[in-house]
Amino acid sequence: MVMYSVSCLRKNLATGVEHLNNVATGHDFRPWEVHDAANVQKQDVEIYSNSTEAQLIEAVHKAAYRDTLGQSLYMPSDRVGTFSCRDLEAFVKTYYVAHNAVIAGVGIDHDVLVHLARKFTFAPGHAPEHKKAKYHGGELRMDRRIPLVHAAVVTEGAALGGADLLPLGLLGFVLGAGPYVKYSGNLASSRIAKAAASATSFPFVASAISAAYSDSGLFGFQVTTDARDAGKVLKAIVTTMGQATKNTITKDDVLRAKHQLKACMYMEAEGAEETLKWIGAEALLSGQVIDCSQLESEVDKVTLEDVNRVAKKILNGKPSMVAVGDLSSTPYLDELI
């Protein structure tokens, strides 16, 4: 998803929309600008090559989906600078069309937004249908000369708009979706962090991870730990994930998870830019927008039985695993599960 946005005073709204329309629909690719953009692309590739976490997330998708969602978000270094103005023009002509676009606004009256939206000059038509993502499952291992192991184990999760999406979101908080206090280990409520702490005396970071897309999703855990204890940490977390499928989740666990999910939701909605992204993505992918109060009501409807059902369904699914780092003590997937 590509997003163009403008922030301005209400009295300057007409001017702001005019500039936004020019940027979003009036593309004029000039050779020297395309050439200069290669420097930004080189920087992105360099950042990616030095980010083990980014490589881990990319590899997880590759192992899980092979193609479709497994295709990298990052350009291969040998392709930087090879795209021409004609290539970009062809891309815009294919995908920047009216039925593949959403115009959203925050802090603006809806009727005013509708009136201004008529000034946008998107080309008519539909974008090509994309190939539906199919989860396969797999394993990728990348040895690196570093003292740590970054690993992730996932199964197929819930797609956007799916009935399992909210119960799965609550399951993530039950298992432990990252620390809530800066520099804390989140040992008070995170089952995953507790499991990792029981297996190593070295520093670590461990949490549940989740990603939802229009036709599929991923759910599992991610951990970074000292390479010497990687095997013990991974086995401890996998054991904890397995226990969550045996009706060990309680009403109190679900209630706390609901409070955490609502807090995250409302804190995300405090920022105008994040709210704008949220509205745009929902409208583009599902054709409707659910506000925070509606979403809160849907969260309240989720029961303990829903969460336990989803835990059994998702966590017992076909796994995928990726490990990056010194893998001398890291087990293979078939040794782990």
Side-chain angles (χ1 to χ4, degrees):
M1 186 177 75
V2 178
M3 174 178 168
Y4 300 97
S5 66
V6 63
S7 299
C8 63
L9 299 174
R10 286 191 178 89
K11 65 179 182 179
N12 298 326
L13 188 57
T15 303
V17 168
E18 180 182 355
H19 290 308
L20 184 60
N21 182 29
N22 290 336
V23 171
T25 67
H27 297 90
D28 184 14
F29 300 106
R30 296 165 182 171
W32 56 91
E33 292 176 340
V34 174
H35 178 270
D36 291 343
N39 293 324
V40 178
Q41 295 165 354
K42 289 177 182 178
Q43 185 178 23
D44 288 342
V45 171
E46 186 66 22
I47 292 173
Y48 170 70
S49 65
N50 287 285
S51 173
T52 307
E53 183 172 357
Q55 294 173 38
L56 179 72
I57 297 302
E58 286 282 289
V60 164
H61 285 78
K62 184 68 175 177
Y65 294 105
R66 301 177 187 170
D67 54 9
T68 59
L69 291 172
Q71 296 179 13
S72 179
L73 297 175
Y74 296 87
M75 183 185 300
S77 57
D78 62 334
R79 298 297 304 279
V80 174
T82 63
F83 291 93
S84 67
C85 296
R86 288 186 178 181
D87 295 326
L88 299 179
E89 289 166 355
F91 179 85
V92 168
K93 185 178 180 179
T94 302
Y95 292 99
Y96 282 44
V97 291
H99 285 83
N100 199 39
V102 166
I103 299 174
V106 174
I108 178 176
D109 182 80
H110 182 262
D111 291 336
V112 174
L113 181 63
V114 171
H115 172 71
L116 294 172
R118 295 192 177 98
K119 298 183 179 182
F120 283 77
T121 54
F122 287 103
H126 296 263
E129 289 289 330
H130 69 273
K131 181 181 178 181
K132 187 175 181 180
K134 180 182 178 181
Y135 181 90
H136 295 279
E139 181 176 11
L140 289 173
R141 295 169 66 90
M142 296 178 283
D143 278 291
R144 299 284 190 273
R145 288 190 174 184
I146 56 176
L148 302 174
V149 168
H150 303 259
V153 179
V154 300
T155 59
E156 185 173 20
L160 289 171
D164 293 337
L165 187 61
L166 287 179
L168 190 60
L170 293 175
L171 177 62
F173 283 103
V174 169
L175 294 173
Y180 299 96
V181 179
K182 194 174 184 179
Y183 303 128
S184 76
N186 197 30
L187 297 180
S189 62
S190 173
R191 297 186 179 200
I192 291 175
K194 288 178 182 178
S198 69
T200 183
S201 59
F202 295 110
F204 66 88
V205 177
S207 71
I209 56 174
S210 181
Y213 305 100
S214 60
D215 45 17
S216 186
L218 295 175
F219 184 85
F221 71 87
Q222 176 181 345
V223 62
T224 299
T225 186
D226 190 280
R228 289 167 287 184
D229 282 346
K232 293 188 293 183
V233 170
L234 284 167
K235 289 177 181 178
I237 297 176
V238 167
T239 299
T240 294
M241 300 285 277
Q243 290 171 349
T245 67
K246 300 175 181 178
N247 294 323
T248 60
I249 299 171
T250 66
K251 288 185 177 180
D252 287 340
D253 291 331
V254 174
L255 181 60
R256 184 183 65 248
K258 287 183 177 181
H259 292 323
Q260 292 172 325
L261 179 56
K262 291 176 187 177
C264 287
M265 177 180 69
Y266 278 109
M267 283 189 284
E268 284 286 329
E270 288 178 354
E273 186 174 351
E274 289 302 318
T275 302
L276 190 62
K277 290 180 182 178
W278 183 357
I279 294 173
E282 278 198 288
L284 188 63
L285 296 174
S286 67
Q288 61 179 341
V289 177
I290 301 176
D291 62 29
C292 287
S293 60
Q294 291 175 294
L295 193 54
E296 181 180 3
S297 176
E298 293 300 315
V299 170
D300 286 333
K301 293 177 183 177
V302 178
T303 66
L304 171 62
E305 290 72 25
D306 292 330
V307 176
N308 277 319
R309 173 184 59 79
V310 167
K312 293 174 184 177
K313 174 183 176 182
I314 301 298
L315 298 182
N316 287 327
K318 186 177 182 180
S320 297
M321 177 180 172
V322 170
V324 184
D326 177 359
L327 306 183
S328 57
S329 298
T330 301
Y332 286 82
L333 180 59
D334 62 351
E335 299 172 323
L336 195 59
I337 298 178

